[in-house]
Amino acid sequence: MAETGVAVVVLAAGQGSRMQSDLPKVLHRLGGVPLVGHALRAARALEPEQIVVVTGHGADAVSRAVARLDPEAATVLQAEQLGTGHAVRQAIPSLEGFEGRVIVLYGDTPFIGQDTLEALVAHPADLVVLGFEAEEPGRYGRLVVTDRGLERIVEFKDADAATRQIALCNSGVMALQADLLRRLIVDLGNDNASGEYYLTDLVSLARAEGRRADVVLCDEAETLGINTRTELAAAEAAFQARARAALMEDGVTLTDPDSVFLALDTVIGRDAVIGPNVVFGPGVTVESGAEILPFCHLEGCHVSAGATVGPFARLRPGAELGGDVHVGNFVEIKNAVLDEGVKVGHLTYLGDVHVGEHTNIGAGTITCNYDGVMKHRTVIGARAFIGSDTMLVAPVTVGDDAMTGSGSTITENVPAGALAIGRARQVTKPGLAVRLMAALRLKKEAR
């Protein structure tokens, strides 16, 4: 890594018309997070002094997403989309006073690796472009390289037949010193086939004043950009394949890897076991030795060592499972802390609750946490026994070592060690069922 500081400009202003969507292209999700989140994560790995995201189409939505994904990143507006050079120019005021190397990334290019970015930062040339050898160069811009380094970048629309035969292509990613960028960006012209201000023209401008430009090569797969739904699906498949392989290399068992879907920030410890058809949304950590059984969905939760989840369980944001907790089939947990050894076997909803250690929650239990306006919290103590089909109407507290009778509706606090029964007294009417059925049959026959 170079000794000078780093700043990153992420271009995220495009509409992405080929996506056929009202959603800005960079907000389409890959690995559970918006595309721009991948660029921000790559940028943050460089420990930059600044990150500036250039927005345009759907600027408000993109800015909100950036604020959520990386609160320290700044956003600026490109009101008119007049090319990549024009977009970078909008970021220049935000870089005032910065004297290190500026990296230009793209919000729709999610796979550029940290090693590649560090090579761009460390390269001694004044201006460095990330290039790749393309199997099918297509409409990529071409890099014209001589023994003196990178001579120029030619956009496909402006290239002659000979230049189009070059296989060395431009990814769009560029690194250069901030003072050079400030000076040259104002000299960009738009005398080209598109009438736009190309960032790539910085190469010719830099060479004209005697600066050296060069190329860092990467694998073509790192430069994959997303322009269509088909490309997004292909990128998702590539992301999932890499993420699954990385987990298994780290000692995680995936019993049916192709059916497990991971998010960008999924963290799973070694010797954890993940069954088939498990989906991880953003914000999930599963500790070593835990097991997630088939057909579970997890998002924004933490599963401690030795815990088991599923099958057919859902952990929603705020679910915190302690060690050796068991969450069984058709159980939903939301904004809830389950301490060590809690058992929630089946058919239960626990929302806005804290459950003490080694408590057993019977089948069909519901914490009634919403009164139509406000959410309310339930507290269940340690070693309690909650009978099947108990309705806990929050706010309510059940003390340590307390019990509730099956089928109870609990509306008042239950002291430690007490048994609470809150159900109507059963009334039995001998013979009434037979008489009612007979009356119903007669009524049916009379129709």
Side-chain angles (χ1 to χ4, degrees):
M1 182 72 70
E3 293 182 359
T4 58
V6 176
V8 180
V9 176
V10 179
L11 303 188
Q15 179 177 0
S17 58
R18 292 169 63 194
M19 297 293 287
Q20 298 296 323
S21 175
D22 295 328
L23 189 70
K25 179 169 65 171
V26 297
L27 296 188
H28 285 266
R29 291 182 175 268
L30 174 68
V33 301
L35 285 169
V36 71
H38 292 255
L40 290 169
R41 181 168 176 149
R44 191 55 68 186
L46 295 173
E47 300 181 358
E49 294 182 22
Q50 294 174 259
I51 296 177
V52 182
V53 180
V54 181
T55 68
H57 179 74
D60 290 344
V62 174
S63 296
R64 288 194 297 270
V66 169
R68 184 177 68 254
L69 293 162
D70 191 331
E72 296 182 4
T75 57
V76 296
L77 175 65
Q78 183 189 22
E80 292 184 89
Q81 280 69 68
L82 300 177
T84 52
H86 179 262
V88 172
R89 188 169 181 175
Q90 312 313 303
I92 297 299
S94 298
L95 299 175
E96 184 177 356
F98 175 74
E99 298 300 334
R101 177 154 284 201
V102 179
I103 310 290
V104 179
L105 300 178
Y106 293 80
D108 62 353
T109 305
F111 292 138
I112 295 175
Q114 184 176 351
D115 290 346
T116 297
L117 293 178
E118 289 180 350
L120 286 169
V121 175
H123 198 286
D126 299 299
L127 184 153
V128 189
V129 170
L130 183 63
F132 61 97
E133 295 279 354
E135 284 190 25
E136 298 290 340
R139 302 186 65 82
Y140 287 114
R142 304 302 204 267
L143 302 181
V144 180
V145 178
T146 69
D147 56 2
R148 295 184 299 170
L150 177 62
E151 290 280 348
R152 64 188 186 278
I153 304 174
V154 183
E155 296 296 334
F156 179 85
K157 286 183 286 189
D158 301 308
D160 58 25
T163 304
R164 290 179 179 182
Q165 295 303 309
I166 297 173
L168 184 58
C169 295
N170 176 36
S171 72
V173 174
M174 182 180 291
L176 69 166
Q177 291 302 115
D179 61 342
L180 183 63
L181 174 62
R182 290 190 191 95
R183 188 166 64 256
L184 297 184
I185 199 77
V186 296
D187 293 332
L188 288 177
N190 63 346
D191 184 17
N192 52 61
S194 296
E196 295 184 346
Y197 297 88
Y198 292 152
L199 186 67
T200 51
D201 287 344
L202 292 181
V203 174
S204 298
L205 293 174
R207 291 190 62 84
E209 64 172 52
R211 301 298 190 108
R212 181 175 177 87
D214 216 331
V215 177
V216 165
L217 292 178
C218 70
D219 189 276
E220 183 177 2
E222 288 190 55
T223 70
L224 176 67
I226 311 301
N227 296 296
T228 66
R229 305 277 185 164
T230 299
E231 291 173 351
L232 181 63
E236 185 71 48
F239 169 83
Q240 295 298 336
R242 295 178 191 181
R244 294 162 187 155
L247 284 181
M248 290 186 285
E249 288 173 5
D250 288 341
V252 176
T253 294
L254 304 180
T255 56
D256 182 18
D258 289 346
S259 70
V260 174
F261 286 83
L262 305 159
L264 177 63
D265 60 354
T266 301
V267 177
I268 304 178
R270 65 186 301 174
D271 293 322
V273 177
I274 311 299
N277 298 293
V278 175
V279 176
F280 292 89
V284 178
T285 298
V286 177
E287 292 188 10
S288 299
E291 182 172 9
I292 312 298
L293 295 167
F295 295 98
C296 291
H297 188 282
L298 297 83
E299 180 179 1
C301 61
H302 179 272
V303 180
S304 296
T308 60
V309 178
F312 296 98
R314 184 182 182 194
L315 302 185
R316 292 171 58 192
E320 295 278 344
L321 274 55
D324 298 316
V325 163
H326 170 63
V327 170
N329 51 291
F330 304 106
V331 172
E332 181 177 346
I333 311 288
K334 188 272 295 184
N335 192 27
V337 177
L338 277 57
D339 290 343
E340 182 179 359
V342 169
K343 308 298 181 188
V344 191
H346 32 256
L347 301 165
T348 290
Y349 170 72
L350 296 179
D352 299 291
V353 61
H354 186 163
V355 183
E357 62 182 13
H358 301 293
T359 283
N360 185 84
I361 306 293
T365 295
I366 295 175
T367 55
C368 306
N369 56 334
Y370 184 50
D371 64 7
V373 178
M374 302 287 292
K375 293 289 182 71
H376 301 281
R377 194 157 184 83
T378 298
V379 177
I380 303 172
R383 301 170 304 280
F385 184 93
I386 306 301
S388 298
D389 286 319
T390 294
M391 303 291 110
L392 295 156
V393 183
V396 70
T397 297
V398 178
D400 295 346
D401 302 297
M403 301 178 68
T404 67
S406 296
S408 292
T409 298
I410 303 300
T411 59
E412 299 178 0
N413 292 342
V414 181
L419 166 63
I421 302 172
R423 58 191 182 216
R425 181 178 296 276
Q426 179 174 318
V427 176
T428 303
K429 302 290 187 179
L432 182 57
V434 174
R435 295 196 299 273
L436 287 173
M437 291 303 296
L440 289 171
R441 282 196 296 270
L442 288 173
K443 186 175 181 180
K444 185 178 180 180
E445 291 171 359
R447 288 179 176 175

